[in-house]
Amino acid sequence: MKWYQLDVERVEQKLQVTSRKGLTTKQVEKRRKQYGYNVLETQKNTSKWLIFLKQFQDFMVLVLLAATLIAGLLGEYIDAIAIMIIVLVNGCFGYFQEQKAEKSLEKLKELSAPLATVLRNEKWEKIYSKEVVVGDIVKVSSGDRIPADIRIVKSSGMETEESTLTGESLPVMKHATAITRDQLEAQDQVNMGFMGTLVTRGSGIGIVVGTGMNTVMGQIASLMANTKKVMTPLERKLAELGKILIVVALFLTALVVMLGVMQGHPIYNMFLAGVSLAVAAIPEGLPAIVTVALSLGVQRMIRKKAIVRKLSAVETLGCASVICSDKTGTMTENKMTVKELFIGGNQLYVTGDGYNLQGDFFLNKEKVDEDYPNLKAMLLYGSLCNNASLQVKKGKQYIDGDPTDGALLIAARKIGLTVNATEKYRIIKEIPFDSDRKRMSVVIEDENQMRYLITKGAPDVLLPRSTYQENAQGRSVLKAADIEKIDEAINGMAEKALRTLAVAIKPLSKNENLDNAFLEKDLTFIGLYGMMDPPRKEVKAAIEECNQAGIKTVMITGDHVKTARAIAQNLNLLPANGLVLEGHQLSEMSVEDLEDVIDDTYVFARVTPEHKLKIVQAFQRKGHIVAMTGDGVNDAPAIKASDIGISMGISGTDVTKEASSLILMDDNFATIKSAIHEGRNIYENIRKFIRYLLASNVGEILVMLFAMLLAMPLPLIPVQILWVNLVTDGLPAMALGLDKSEGDVMKHSPRNPREGVFARGLGYKIITRGILIGIVTLIGFMVTYQNNPDNLIYGQTIAFTTLVMAQLIHVFDCRSEKSVFARNPFENIYLVFAVLSSLLLLLVVIYWEPLQPIFHTTYLGIRDWMLIIVLSALPTVLFGFTKK
Ligand code: ATP
């Protein structure tokens, strides 16, 4: 017998669990041991050794190693060993960097790993999907990916999309009854839910019958493509630029070697020097360091509650010019409280805030009780057509489910309606809420087997479907005058920033058609709820900050236009002449029409998720870089189409999370602002070390080239060149990646996404500083060598020291786009530490006797140091004054 052929009870028996209680911790542990984790084993991890070896895979490094081998064979042991050690240390450094980047990306993956809601020890809890075991009772709802193969126990209008398994993209309706037929394909097993497939509508509960590789998905997992690491735009740009720089560096190196040989330097010496120079000067590691900087930045973002799913988002964040944000939950707290009711033509006020179950109902300052006509009925309807429940955790009330639904439960409690009151009713059918329909309905049956439909939803959706109304005198036809009065009430509530919700019912006969199309019409209007959802405290300031940073904030909401306008005004989001557009207007507009007005529009109300795509497209056509938030399953297309798709960590569905490039752990708008702030900062830091590394390389090549042109001996020997490269490429560059922003990065407009790597004067700065570093090094060498022609080592030590010092001073220049004097050099403690350690290493190489023969160095006196310091400070100080 297959799982789909068994009754739910049999499945429960076989798996030793009941769907009321779930597994116990003991059972879970035992099953975990037996079946392992719920993961698909599609990817093998690259071994650490391979990552280490990869560091030496670069062509020039291989040539260098070969050359060193030849040097060793020729008897130049010291050189050979020294070069080997430097290459090895360099390799280790690369390895650790890569590991660090890898680890932080791993952590990211973990943080954004899918979650599952399971019933364990009689309590619903959220766990990582990989921890689900056979026998777990799981709850899924619209937008979730099913975490394992499940036998459905309960379906509330649950539909799934199984195209990943079956290729069929039409949704499949799920139910819980056993199927007797045999040999069914996955798509016909309509009482099963399969791992990795998507719930598109409704919700359901199921028992896990298969996990990991023992699922239908597991069987085809090996067919799934492995995810490849994709380069971010900047990494790609740098990789391309790298190719050009390789050619330039190789050409210049070849020139150095050729000139050297022509000047009579031994070929072997020139060859080794050339290869070392090429290894040092070719910035092949740039994309890798960018990855490290991005992943370090990503870690900082995690601390600010933003999880980056795609590394490229970090760069794009810095270019964002529009944030389109959902209102409910992102700009507001999503803590709804019913404040007003409209029943039988009268306005009632409700007291008691938040999750406080105490509160009273007032009519014109006079307290009313449960006998007030239709009050109890309306609150009962609100509790029946409801998917939330009130729970207590650590002595505190909280709502499990949709906060709108939760608010209705709390309002009902205020006149003493508890769960007991609703238990008498049986739910026959449910048409779930979604943002497109803007309503939810249930068909219920009472103790006397009387059936009726309860619908709740946006008033402007329900009113046109209502023919009657209920008031103190009973049911009557809903006339134009009544509708006018209701509209007035809606407007009154909305202007106070209250979210409005209408309730209507329809009596049904026992054998009445329960088709969706037939059900939700000719309704009897009962009343309105007006509920408050306060804006989050931080949002107003965050919007203001974005404004100053040249980023426009746009509110998108399914709520009533007046509610939206009131909240937007509270948040200072809507300027006096700003437009507010409504969903029905958007439907009539083409993307081109929208493009004409979009720059003046700040609020979109009563929109459905489909409209969001149009909004993204219109902004993009205007040249904007758009960040778009979303939570529901239907938001995914707009999130995908936007430049930075943002999903919600708490309320978001798996589908939107998968489509997004950024997840807000706290669902908070202010976190988007922090992420943009960080994104801008990371980009500036990347610019800093590109500038530093390339200027260093230019200096290194030029000093050799100038010397050869002037027919001088080699100012630097291969080991020295490699050492400079190691010490400067290493810690100081990394420390620049951790630099704080210069001034306030949120005070200027977003960066142009088409901006090149060398934009805003970066190329000029690299070349000018590089040339000067080359020149001062050469001057140091020339002055010393001309005075001591017999002591080449002395001249080389001066050149070597000047070059290193010039770079270690220049690194402070790279922190500022303006001038080295614009910033306090001790502000970045990592950089100070990195420079001090490089300096210490330099002193060791110069003064520690055993190393002197290896690095061809000799003692330097005070006067030498004075010369070195003056020369090496020159490039930085000079440009510090010119400020260019
Ligand atoms: P935002 O886009 O700002 O996040 P929202 O997504 O909460 O807003 P929707 O959830 O689409 O907006 O809600 C739109 C309207 O649907 C609400 O104004 C309300 O009238 C109605 N509504 C919201 N939640 C429910 C629910 N659970 N049941 C029935 N109707 C609802």
Side-chain angles (χ1 to χ4, degrees):
M1 291 288 258
K2 301 270 173 31
W3 293 114
Y4 59 84
Q5 295 176 299
L6 300 176
D7 279 335
V8 171
E9 292 75 39
R10 282 283 293 140
V11 177
E12 290 185 343
Q13 269 169 20
K14 277 195 133 186
L15 298 174
Q16 294 166 3
V17 64
T18 66
S19 40
R20 249 178 335 102
K21 294 187 173 172
L23 295 174
T24 61
T25 312
K26 244 201 189 134
Q27 281 177 306
V28 171
E29 275 164 15
K30 203 164 147 211
R31 290 174 195 212
R32 166 92 32 74
K33 267 195 202 125
Q34 196 177 341
Y35 301 105
Y37 280 102
N38 176 33
V39 283
L40 298 178
E41 288 140 21
T42 45
Q43 249 173 330
K44 290 247 176 315
N45 281 342
T46 329
S47 90
K48 294 201 164 169
W49 276 108
L50 259 166
I51 300 177
F52 183 66
L53 285 179
K54 226 178 71 195
Q55 311 300 323
F56 306 96
Q57 178 191 49
D58 183 64
F59 176 70
M60 282 321 289
V61 173
L62 290 179
V63 174
L64 178 68
L65 287 175
T68 320
L69 200 71
I70 297 171
L73 290 177
L74 291 175
E76 306 270 353
Y77 300 123
I78 296 186
D79 273 3
I81 291 172
I83 292 178
M84 287 285 188
I85 290 177
I86 292 187
V87 171
L88 209 66
V89 173
N90 219 345
C92 290
F93 200 79
Y95 170 79
F96 285 120
Q97 276 192 338
E98 192 158 312
Q99 281 294 92
K100 206 172 158 125
E102 194 75 12
K103 264 207 197 115
S104 79
L105 295 180
E106 232 4 82
K107 193 167 163 212
L108 267 187
K109 244 198 232 154
E110 233 167 68
L111 276 174
S112 55
L115 298 172
T117 311
V118 297
L119 183 68
R120 284 184 181 173
N121 305 310
E122 297 183 46
K123 281 208 183 79
W124 287 106
E125 52 181 296
K126 268 199 161 39
I127 57 168
Y128 283 119
S129 296
K130 74 169 197 187
E131 287 166 7
V132 167
V133 297
V134 170
D136 260 329
I137 309 297
V138 298
K139 186 153 72 176
V140 287
S141 54
S142 136
D144 287 347
R145 281 221 187 268
I146 300 181
D149 282 2
I150 56 174
R151 168 71 169 83
I152 313 277
V153 176
K154 184 181 164 211
S155 160
S156 309
M158 175 172 160
E159 287 179 17
T160 63
E161 197 260 329
E162 301 176 341
S163 61
T164 37
L165 276 187
T166 60
E168 174 60 62
S169 60
L170 279 180
V172 188
M173 191 81 199
K174 296 284 172 177
H175 60 69
T177 22
I179 308 170
T180 41
R181 275 178 301 148
D182 200 1
Q183 304 280 334
L184 290 186
E185 294 290 333
Q187 61 257 44
D188 298 321
Q189 301 178 15
V190 288
N191 56 11
M192 297 281 293
F194 301 104
M195 177 193 220
T197 60
L198 189 69
V199 183
T200 48
R201 194 164 274 214
S203 59
I205 293 177
I207 306 183
V208 175
V209 294
T211 57
M213 296 306 277
N214 295 324
T215 56
V216 179
M217 187 62 98
Q219 285 156 18
I220 59 164
S222 47
L223 302 176
M224 290 193 325
N226 281 353
T227 40
K228 247 192 174 161
K229 181 188 179 298
V230 265
M231 280 199 183
T232 74
L234 183 64
E235 283 175 311
R236 217 174 316 123
K237 251 188 234 169
L238 283 174
E240 274 158 28
L241 174 79
K243 283 186 202 138
I244 302 170
L245 292 179
I246 288 177
V247 175
V248 176
L250 280 180
F251 171 75
L252 291 176
T253 312
L255 200 65
V256 170
V257 175
M258 216 176 63
L259 286 171
V261 174
M262 273 160 53
Q263 313 285 357
H265 291 292
I267 293 185
Y268 158 74
N269 277 358
M270 281 320 295
F271 178 67
L272 202 55
V275 177
S276 308
L277 192 57
V279 168
I282 291 172
E284 82 292 333
L286 263 188
I289 304 192
V290 170
T291 314
V292 174
L294 288 176
S295 54
L296 286 178
V298 158
Q299 271 182 338
R300 281 199 299 272
M301 286 203 193
I302 294 177
R303 265 175 254 141
K304 293 185 178 160
K305 302 213 180 309
I307 302 174
V308 175
R309 287 194 67 252
K310 297 176 192 143
L311 222 43
S312 55
V314 181
E315 288 163 30
T316 329
L317 271 171
C319 307
S321 57
V322 177
I323 308 173
C324 299
S325 170
D326 281 338
K327 172 182 70 65
T328 312
T330 313
M331 292 185 163
T332 64
E333 296 202 20
N334 210 2
K335 278 197 185 134
M336 309 272 174
T337 318
V338 175
K339 290 280 178 191
E340 294 184 13
L341 295 176
F342 179 80
I343 316 177
N346 285 326
Q347 196 95 19
L348 301 191
Y349 296 90
V350 191
T351 58
D353 277 327
Y355 298 156
N356 184 357
L357 302 182
Q358 260 69 52
D360 296 303
F361 297 80
F362 290 87
L363 173 69
N364 301 327
K365 298 197 177 146
E366 206 142 305
K367 202 166 141 186
V368 298
D369 59 18
E370 58 174 70
D371 297 331
Y372 186 82
N374 290 322
L375 174 61
K376 203 167 168 187
M378 170 152 164
L379 293 171
L380 177 69
Y381 298 147
S383 309
L384 284 169
C385 183
N386 200 307
N387 263 326
S389 62
L390 282 180
Q391 306 275 352
V392 183
K393 199 173 176 180
K394 291 182 190 153
K396 265 190 166 173
Q397 292 283 346
Y398 78 96
I399 287 165
D400 182 18
D402 183 345
T404 304
D405 283 350
L408 304 188
L409 293 183
I410 289 179
R413 281 288 187 101
K414 289 179 181 170
I415 60 156
L417 274 180
T418 59
V419 184
N420 299 343
T422 52
E423 268 174 356
K424 292 187 223 130
Y425 301 86
R426 200 160 67 89
I427 294 189
I428 310 279
K429 177 179 172 124
E430 175 181 333
I431 315 175
F433 169 78
D434 72 39
S435 301
D436 283 320
R437 292 170 18 91
K438 296 201 183 354
R439 61 185 186 274
M440 164 184 179
S441 299
V442 289
V443 175
I444 57 161
E445 193 178 77
D446 67 12
E447 293 158 308
N448 309 321
Q449 265 105 59
M450 297 287 287
R451 287 186 177 185
Y452 48 103
L453 170 91
I454 307 172
T455 303
K456 73 177 202 301
D460 36 324
V461 175
L462 289 205
L463 273 177
R465 294 170 179 272
S466 304
T467 325
Y468 310 99
Q469 64 172 339
E470 186 81 40
N471 49 30
Q473 291 75 41
R475 196 162 87 145
S476 63
V477 173
L478 193 65
K479 297 197 207 68
D482 303 320
I483 294 182
E484 213 169 283
K485 199 157 179 214
I486 297 171
D487 275 339
E488 227 171 80
I490 296 172
N491 286 338
M493 287 180 180
E495 273 159 17
K496 286 180 232 162
L498 299 181
R499 153 182 278 221
T500 50
L501 196 75
V503 178
I505 59 160
K506 175 176 174 176
L508 300 171
S509 60
K510 179 92 189 179
N511 32 26
E512 198 141 340
N513 186 343
L514 292 186
D515 259 6
N516 291 7
F518 166 80
L519 279 175
E520 293 170 328
K521 56 185 189 191
D522 288 334
L523 305 173
T524 304
F525 175 83
I526 304 288
L528 297 173
Y529 284 99
M531 45 184 96
M532 184 71 189
D533 178 19
R536 289 175 182 267
K537 282 192 298 298
E538 327 70 62
V539 170
K540 196 170 179 176
I543 291 176
E544 170 61 26
E545 219 177 298
C546 287
N547 206 4
Q548 285 180 8
I551 305 165
K552 176 178 174 180
T553 308
V554 174
M555 176 193 282
I556 298 187
T557 175
D559 263 348
H560 193 278
V561 59
K562 292 212 163 130
T563 312
R565 185 189 283 272
I567 295 184
Q569 278 163 348
N570 275 348
L571 291 171
N572 274 354
L573 179 149
L574 183 66
N577 52 357
L579 295 181
V580 178
L581 282 185
E582 278 190 80
H584 65 87
Q585 293 171 299
L586 281 176
S587 299
E588 286 156 16
M589 288 171 137
S590 64
V591 178
E592 289 80 13
D593 296 337
L594 183 57
E595 205 186 320
D596 293 337
V597 292
I598 199 140
D599 270 338
D600 299 319
T601 313
Y602 291 79
V603 177
F604 294 91
R606 275 285 186 255
V607 293
T608 62
E610 285 71 51
H611 292 130
K612 284 186 163 183
L613 187 60
K614 222 180 204 178
I615 297 172
V616 168
Q617 287 165 343
F619 271 123
Q620 283 175 335
R621 288 168 70 120
K622 274 266 167 182
H624 284 290
I625 300 295
V626 189
M628 168 65 90
T629 70
D631 43 18
V633 50
N634 303 337
D635 288 337
I639 286 195
K640 238 185 220 155
S642 68
D643 301 278
I644 307 155
I646 303 174
S647 62
M648 302 299 143
I650 304 171
S651 64
T653 53
D654 292 347
V655 199
T656 38
K657 283 185 195 164
E658 284 163 23
S660 69
S661 41
L662 190 77
I663 304 178
L664 308 179
M665 280 155 98
D666 56 358
D667 291 12
N668 192 339
F669 176 85
T671 306
I672 307 178
K673 181 225 64 187
S674 310
I676 290 182
H677 187 284
E678 202 53 63
R680 286 186 173 195
N681 194 17
I682 293 172
Y683 190 83
E684 288 311 306
N685 285 349
I686 290 176
R687 270 173 68 87
K688 289 175 194 169
F689 63 69
I690 289 180
R691 173 177 165 190
Y692 171 63
L693 288 178
L694 292 188
S696 300
N697 292 355
V698 170
E700 287 156 25
I701 294 195
L702 287 188
V703 64
M704 298 291 275
L705 186 64
F706 292 154
M708 293 304 102
L709 283 172
L710 296 174
M712 304 185 67
L714 281 180
L716 297 164
I717 61 159
V719 200
Q720 289 170 341
I721 298 173
L722 290 172
W723 192 92
V724 173
N725 188 49
L726 170 71
V727 173
T728 54
D729 266 17
L731 291 180
M734 284 277 279
L736 275 182
L738 296 171
D739 208 22
K740 285 227 175 63
S741 52
E742 181 179 25
D744 194 347
V745 283
M746 293 301 270
K747 285 266 152 64
H748 50 75
S749 322
R751 163 172 57 90
N752 181 346
R754 279 180 289 279
E755 167 183 305
V757 178
F758 296 132
R760 288 184 273 143
L762 201 78
Y764 168 81
K765 286 191 170 110
I766 291 171
I767 300 284
T768 48
R769 273 54 162 190
I771 292 178
L772 216 59
I773 291 175
I775 290 178
V776 293
T777 308
L778 191 72
I779 292 176
F781 177 66
M782 268 165 54
V783 172
T784 321
Y785 180 62
Q786 266 159 14
N787 292 334
N788 308 276
D790 322 323
N791 194 352
L792 181 58
I793 288 188
Y794 183 27
Q796 283 171 334
T797 310
I798 295 274
F800 170 61
T801 316
T802 311
L803 180 63
V804 174
M805 289 298 292
Q807 294 186 357
L808 292 184
I809 296 175
H810 174 234
V811 74
F812 290 99
D813 190 13
C814 298
R815 295 182 59 227
S816 172
E817 301 267 346
K818 298 178 203 120
S819 150
V820 65
F821 302 122
R823 303 195 69 178
N824 172 2
F826 300 106
E827 198 182 21
N828 181 348
I829 196 72
Y830 303 104
L831 187 62
V832 174
F833 178 72
V835 166
L836 284 181
S837 21
S838 296
L839 198 64
L840 190 74
L841 285 175
L842 176 70
L843 295 179
V844 170
V845 166
I846 298 173
Y847 291 104
W848 195 35
E849 252 170 56
L851 287 184
Q852 286 182 339
I854 300 175
F855 285 93
H856 293 236
T857 46
T858 178
Y859 288 101
L860 298 177
I862 286 286
R863 292 181 57 164
D864 300 324
W865 275 105
M866 279 162 62
L867 173 75
I868 290 167
I869 286 173
V870 169
L871 285 175
S872 54
L874 216 58
T876 299
V877 174
L878 214 62
F879 284 108
F881 285 120
T882 62
K883 297 190 181 167
K884 277 222 174 110

